[in-house]
Amino acid sequence: MSPRHPSDDRAPNQVDVARLAGVSTQTVSRVMSGQQNVRPETARRVLAAVEELGYRVHAAAASLASGRTRILGVIVVSTDRYSTAALGVGIQQAAAEHRYTVTTAAVADHASADAFVEAFDRLERQGAEGIILGVPVELDSPAMRLRTARTPSTRNERLSMHPDAPLIIDQHAIARQAVEHLLDLGHKTVWHVPGDEYWLETRQRRETWEQVLTERGITPPPVIPGDWTPESGYRAGRTIAAIPEATAVFVSSDEMAFGLIRALHEAGRRVPEDISVVSVDDIALAGFASPALTTVRQPFEQMGRAAALRLIAQLEGVEISDAPEDVHPELIVRSSTAAPRG
Amino acid sequence: MSPRHPSDDRAPNQVDVARLAGVSTQTVSRVMSGQQNVRPETARRVLAAVEELGYRVHAAAASLASGRTRILGVIVVSTDRYSTAALGVGIQQAAAEHRYTVTTAAVADHASADAFVEAFDRLERQGAEGIILGVPVELDSPAMRLRTARTPSTRNERLSMHPDAPLIIDQHAIARQAVEHLLDLGHKTVWHVPGDEYWLETRQRRETWEQVLTERGITPPPVIPGDWTPESGYRAGRTIAAIPEATAVFVSSDEMAFGLIRALHEAGRRVPEDISVVSVDDIALAGFASPALTTVRQPFEQMGRAAALRLIAQLEGVEISDAPEDVHPELIVRSSTAAPRG
DNA sequence: TTGTATGCGTTATCAG
DNA sequence: CTGATAACGCATACAA
């Protein structure tokens, strides 16, 4: 019944198509890869044969022959954090537009440097032509340098889109906007609840928090520990509620801010009347906290997009025109901050 | 200096290793794939050569020869929704444990059925041996049936882990637990804010909501529209606040519940004293809403894990022992529900 | 515009 | 336990 070789249950290949269409395999290859130098009539015959047999290019064979895989690798931690997911959206989009495929290697939270090297290896072995390091730690071991030297890769955290600049969201700018917003409102000092120590972002934001305070002649108060989770924010909130002179807090994530504000409320301290809170991320729920969160938005999606596009440009040796402009973190002022009470 | 062929910048291959180790390529292959029938001393020599040359197996070549890719495909929508991300965590874990790689194809929200077929094709072409359909819609077009017939795939929504049962979280059970909880508290009826109509889950939950009410002789009130976003929850909340007789609401996601509760508060209706709210998901922030959300937890991570394991079992023709037991949605009672006021 | 020949790096088969 | 040899399916010269 079917036109396929009845006795053969293997998938149809180029040869089968060529035979059925009455052309050479070379022509089939040309048609499949969309090259122009094929007579329309011939192409039509080939396509008809393809359709009839249900032929599809065998990626492994094509890769082996061409040396290209069109695979982008992504290494991430905490797959279910908002930042990771949002980054992924941008990467997926850009990759799909340029007919790349993306494969993800998830690394356990708090994993050692070795785990990242292993993930890199997995991705390389799998044929990834470029790798996006969506990771929260510095990777400057010799082993990692060896790998990033041979496979193009991108650490996605700095702000600038200039082709030679590192690609990262500027954590210092985030912290500076947050802290200066509070100081400009008239607060005498700003307390800080950082994220998990494992994350590079955590350290960078804390440094800048300290620096901005110091610039204004303020001695930074002790850090109140946090680890990104709302629970840790809650604990930090209880601590801060017990500090009468505290009037302003810079928390390193929106999720922690939810916990923090709840603890403050339970302790009878009002936000923002008694204590102002500014956080980071601008997750979908940020505007629906009580009060709505003043927060510094991180442009994750654009960043993911930019990282993928830059990698693709590098792989193809071309300029990519649709890369986003420089993207910046942006302070979104809502209702969790106010001037201190006279 | 280096032992690599100095004039050659191509990656080392099996032949190079075999030559350096003084064995055949076959033996190299055996060592790399961890087969046991190699003399330890020989294996050691091979490994040394591998190390020295920095050799790594070329995946495309291995695939071509073996016919296996060890690639799992995943099709998802709304990559940044909590459900999608959480599912991914489970899939990634299970895949990694069994040395599979996962590549994701993201489909635009509200995409047509064709988009899923295309995504399936991309993944197949890429060599995916099995595909997890982490999608919110029914896919029973002829085109899709053709594909799922030739490539093992899994729709991840039903509850049971029995090998022949569909693999899905039981949406009817979710809705039933939510609605019965409210009715059992003594509420006369339950209003409903569904998710986006595009999602199968939305329709299933609404059906069950209607059914449970009907079972108890209650005529379901009109549905208040929602689309998963907190904004839509807020709008629904304003609507409901204007309905004096409303005392209980079943909202189809935690995120919408945040918006809904805020709108109720703004309208002067207290939760749970005036209106009880139960939602679905149990996201990390659910316990930090004001009041803390009573919600039905969906076991996304276990579901992802189960889907991947089942697929792998099928691909290898083996029983997988570490598959999770049946997993069930679970009602988490917090503070957003209470008996109606006398 | 189209066809022929060759090689990509590995695994599988079979022999030793 | 080890080795020789033949596929695997496609793309890329190069030739016609």
Side-chain angles (χ1 to χ4, degrees), chain B:
Chain B
M1 307 218 357
S2 148
R4 302 165 95 125
H5 305 233
S7 60
D8 231 0
D9 64 346
R10 73 182 218 297
N13 64 18
Q14 225 179 40
V15 175
D16 300 326
V17 175
R19 188 160 33 216
L20 181 59
V23 299
S24 72
T25 60
Q26 183 50 239
T27 298
V28 176
S29 174
R30 275 192 275 257
V31 171
M32 294 311 285
S33 61
Q35 289 176 40
Q36 294 309 319
N37 48 344
V38 177
R39 190 153 30 110
E41 164 54 20
T42 309
R44 201 165 7 245
R45 278 217 315 285
V46 170
L47 260 9
V50 166
E51 176 74 15
E52 188 171 344
L53 294 175
Y55 167 75
R56 32 234 303 159
V57 175
H58 185 113
S63 293
L64 182 56
S66 70
R68 302 242 15 217
T69 60
R70 301 192 84 81
I71 294 177
L72 248 39
V74 183
I75 301 180
V76 289
V77 150
S78 302
T79 322
D80 55 346
R81 272 204 83 206
Y82 168 74
S83 58
T84 301
L87 204 67
V89 173
I91 294 172
Q92 285 282 356
Q93 273 187 6
E97 286 165 16
H98 293 265
R99 303 195 2 265
Y100 277 74
T101 242
V102 4
T103 118
T104 305
V107 168
D109 219 339
H110 294 174
S112 69
D114 289 348
F116 293 100
V117 173
E118 267 173 47
F120 207 101
D121 280 350
R122 282 212 299 280
L123 257 18
E124 272 187 325
R125 201 179 319 133
Q126 225 284 308
E129 299 186 43
I131 294 179
I132 296 173
L133 271 18
V135 301
V137 296
E138 268 177 300
L139 299 171
D140 57 355
S141 66
M144 192 51 98
R145 269 197 295 272
L146 173 69
R147 287 164 177 76
T148 54
R150 70 175 167 227
T151 298
S153 57
T154 273
R155 168 90 163 86
N156 66 298
E157 335 135 38
R158 193 159 297 160
L159 170 73
S160 169
M161 294 295 143
H162 298 301
D164 298 327
L167 198 56
I168 38 185
I169 297 175
D170 188 341
Q171 300 299 325
H172 301 292
I174 288 175
R176 181 168 289 277
Q177 286 185 64
V179 177
E180 289 187 342
H181 169 65
L182 290 168
L183 294 177
D184 292 348
L185 282 170
H187 293 276
K188 298 293 176 226
T189 187
V190 175
W191 296 69
H192 180 44
V193 181
D196 188 313
E197 285 301 318
Y198 179 76
W199 292 57
L200 188 54
E201 283 83 337
T202 295
R203 301 195 286 281
Q204 294 172 330
R205 290 178 198 164
R206 186 177 46 224
E207 278 167 27
T208 302
W209 161 75
E210 276 177 6
Q211 184 184 333
V212 173
L213 290 184
T214 305
E215 282 171 11
R216 305 223 185 173
I218 303 166
T219 302
V223 161
I224 317 289
D227 65 8
W228 298 133
T229 65
E231 285 78 9
S232 75
Y234 181 83
R235 288 190 297 271
R238 292 180 61 108
T239 303
I240 290 172
I243 303 170
E245 68 272 24
T247 67
V249 186
F250 165 41
V251 210
S252 230
S253 80
D254 290 342
E255 294 216 334
M256 289 194 291
F258 272 84
L260 184 121
I261 289 174
R262 154 175 290 248
L264 292 177
H265 283 165
E266 287 179 3
R269 316 239 6 213
R270 291 165 303 161
V271 177
E273 293 83 354
D274 301 325
I275 299 193
S276 284
V277 176
V278 38
S279 48
V280 183
D281 277 350
D282 196 32
I283 62 177
L285 285 177
F288 295 89
S290 307
L293 300 179
T294 293
T295 186
V296 184
R297 176 184 297 160
Q298 298 203 74
F300 289 118
E301 195 171 321
Q302 293 173 71
M303 223 51 201
R305 187 179 174 74
L309 290 177
R310 181 186 289 190
L311 221 37
I312 290 170
Q314 192 175 345
L315 294 173
E316 321 223 308
V318 189
E319 296 287 319
I320 293 262
S321 55
D322 52 344
E325 304 293 305
D326 283 13
V327 292
H328 299 273
E330 180 190 2
L331 177 72
I332 311 288
V333 178
R334 296 202 183 89
S335 315
S336 62
T337 51
R341 285 184 300 170

